[in-house]
Amino acid sequence: MKRVLVTGGAGYIGSHTIVELLNNGYAVTSIDNFSNSTSKTFDRIFKLTGKKVKNYNIDLSNHKKLESIFKDQEFDAIIHFAAFKAVGESVHEPLKYYDNNLGSLLGALKIAYNCNAQSIIYSSSATVYDQNEKTPFTEKSNLNPLSPYGMTKKIGEDILFDYFKNNSNLKILSLRYFNPAGAHPSILLGENPKGIPNNLIPIITKSLKEKKSFAVFGNTYKTPDKTCIRDYIHVVDVARAHISALKYLEKKEIRIYDVFNIGTGYGTSVLEIIKAFEKNNSVKLNYSIKGKRQGDVPILLANVKKAKKILSFKIKYTIDDIVKTAWEWEKKNLS
Ligand code: UFG
């Protein structure tokens, strides 16, 4: 059985990925200090899979402690999710982001080195691209992250590439996620942002639950309905992409560093999300059109040909699944 260490295992994408890993026969260990998640997630993973996951509640930036804990362990692969991810917050607290996101990546790499993990999968983001590049973005599109959060993701990719160049047997993939959304179909796992959510779909579910209004940022964009278009991908599909990535690395005889877009290739506008949400959940949303949000571009889509061809990755879930599971999860109110 292949042994995989997941960092940020109780987080949104981490927890969904652990379920897919366990269901595909991997043995999973996790590191999560619950800075933006809850330990109850592991009980729900057990409920879903019948399998227990050992979690180490430590900060990945605490490299000394990692050394003693993982002294005698071995892993085949590390999937590194643990990071702060609020774009807006990163602009106001850049050092917090550089400190945490880079410190935790270095911690994960030290574990990889000490525990002989030859495969590393890194959680990157579409936010690394130059947003003014022609969309859909391919993996060769120019990079130019605007926020400190985006910079930490890009620097993370650079660190991995430098590390790769000096290592004779490493296999590393950076996965650039577009807009992950939705919850597990069992409604046992989902996104649980502490404080005010940052992204459209959790903002919609939270405002509906609290009977409040939310803002549509701008309706004068050059798109068919004049609102922004994004590439929303169901979180279980994002999780499944990691299984495709691992299986690809397992087959690969030689060392490799590569980058993949993880999206659907389909665009959905803000108004289309609202319509799909209302139709699928039989609700009426309360929103008003407000001014454009600084930094938003009209259309942001993934070119997903590379992941399809090389990782054999195909999506399973639709926008309808995203909005249905997101609302079911919010109503269930698991914390
Ligand atoms: N939007 C609203 N109202 C809101 C929030 C968002 O109209 O209250 C709109 C935005 O203007 C945008 C769309 O909904 O057009 C999606 O916005 P999100 O904030 O959910 O997502 P972004 O596309 O801005 O950014 C997200 C992640 C980034 C990631 C990026 C990659 O937050 O980390 O996707 O495409 F890098």
Side-chain angles (χ1 to χ4, degrees):
M1 194 190 278
K2 298 261 189 256
R3 301 147 304 176
V4 182
L5 179 72
V6 175
T7 74
Y12 179 43
I13 303 176
S15 60
H16 286 82
T17 301
I18 288 182
V19 169
E20 296 304 309
L21 286 166
L22 294 172
N23 288 340
N24 278 277
Y26 291 91
V28 178
T29 304
S30 162
I31 301 181
D32 199 306
N33 64 351
F34 307 119
S35 70
N36 193 26
S37 59
T38 159
S39 61
K40 290 180 202 154
T41 300
F42 292 108
D43 302 332
R44 296 184 199 131
I45 290 175
F46 179 70
K47 214 167 165 182
L48 261 170
T49 62
K51 290 172 186 160
K52 282 227 180 303
V53 172
K54 164 93 187 137
N55 180 66
Y56 291 96
N57 182 346
I58 37 171
D59 186 339
L60 269 164
S61 311
N62 189 343
H63 299 169
K64 271 244 142 38
K65 204 160 172 194
L66 292 178
E67 222 168 88
S68 62
I69 288 179
F70 291 103
K71 205 167 53 200
D72 301 316
Q73 302 203 41
E74 292 234 317
F75 297 103
D76 298 293
I78 294 192
I79 307 183
H80 178 58
F81 294 106
F84 293 154
K85 59 164 191 172
V87 177
E89 184 188 46
S90 79
V91 175
H92 300 294
E93 295 182 75
L95 296 187
K96 175 175 160 182
Y97 274 69
Y98 286 111
D99 197 26
N100 183 69
N101 292 4
L102 299 179
S104 67
L105 171 63
L106 295 176
L109 288 180
K110 285 185 178 173
I111 302 173
Y113 181 77
N114 288 319
C115 301
N116 293 320
Q118 289 183 354
S119 295
I120 300 169
I121 297 178
Y122 174 62
S123 163
S124 188
S125 164
T127 199
V128 298
Y129 289 115
D130 182 341
Q131 312 285 291
N132 295 313
E133 275 275 286
K134 200 168 143 266
T135 187
F137 296 149
T138 74
E139 289 79 357
K140 291 192 175 130
S141 298
N142 283 331
L143 305 185
N144 184 21
L146 289 178
S147 67
Y149 162 71
M151 279 305 290
T152 66
K153 289 290 163 188
K154 180 181 176 298
I155 295 168
E157 290 189 9
D158 294 343
I159 290 173
L160 285 165
F161 189 53
D162 278 345
Y163 188 51
F164 164 79
K165 283 188 283 191
N166 270 301
N167 260 282
S168 56
N169 45 15
L170 277 181
K171 302 188 228 174
I172 306 180
L173 300 183
S174 290
L175 304 185
R176 294 177 180 156
Y177 317 139
F178 279 66
N179 292 56
H184 197 272
S186 63
I187 318 299
L188 283 169
L189 302 174
E191 189 167 18
N192 229 332
K194 285 191 178 153
I196 306 156
N198 293 294
N199 297 111
L200 179 64
I201 293 178
I203 286 172
I204 293 178
T205 58
K206 196 152 190 185
S207 59
L208 178 60
K209 189 161 164 205
E210 293 176 354
K211 300 189 170 47
K212 289 184 180 157
S213 166
F214 65 93
V216 169
F217 293 139
N219 68 345
T220 55
Y221 285 101
K222 280 190 184 153
T223 62
D225 69 16
K226 311 272 185 264
T227 62
C228 284
I229 292 175
R230 293 289 179 275
D231 190 330
Y232 298 91
I233 173 167
H234 195 283
V235 63
V236 174
D237 280 329
V238 177
R240 291 174 55 250
H242 295 79
I243 308 301
S244 306
L246 269 182
K247 294 214 183 295
Y248 168 69
L249 291 184
E250 283 160 20
K251 275 189 282 174
K252 220 85 211 136
E253 300 282 331
I254 48 164
R255 72 195 205 110
I256 177 174
Y257 176 85
D258 211 347
V259 181
F260 291 92
N261 285 340
I262 303 300
T264 67
Y266 304 111
T268 310
S269 73
V270 179
L271 288 180
E272 283 170 338
I273 289 282
I274 292 174
K275 278 189 205 127
F277 195 101
E278 291 186 326
K279 182 172 138 263
N280 281 283
N281 296 312
S282 309
V283 294
K284 187 94 194 84
L285 293 175
N286 183 4
Y287 62 91
S288 55
I289 308 285
K290 292 271 162 68
K292 290 180 179 176
R293 186 173 65 175
Q294 203 191 343
D296 275 344
V297 292
I299 306 176
L300 224 152
L301 294 177
N303 177 320
V304 291
K305 282 189 190 143
K306 189 173 167 189
K308 255 189 198 162
K309 189 170 164 216
I310 298 178
L311 302 181
S312 310
F313 172 62
K314 273 198 217 110
I315 57 155
K316 234 168 90 173
Y317 294 92
T318 62
I319 288 289
D320 289 349
D321 298 321
I322 288 177
V323 293
K324 269 193 271 188
T325 53
W327 180 226
E328 288 301 317
W329 167 252
E330 184 75 60
K331 278 193 292 183
K332 204 162 168 191
N333 192 26
L334 292 177
S335 58

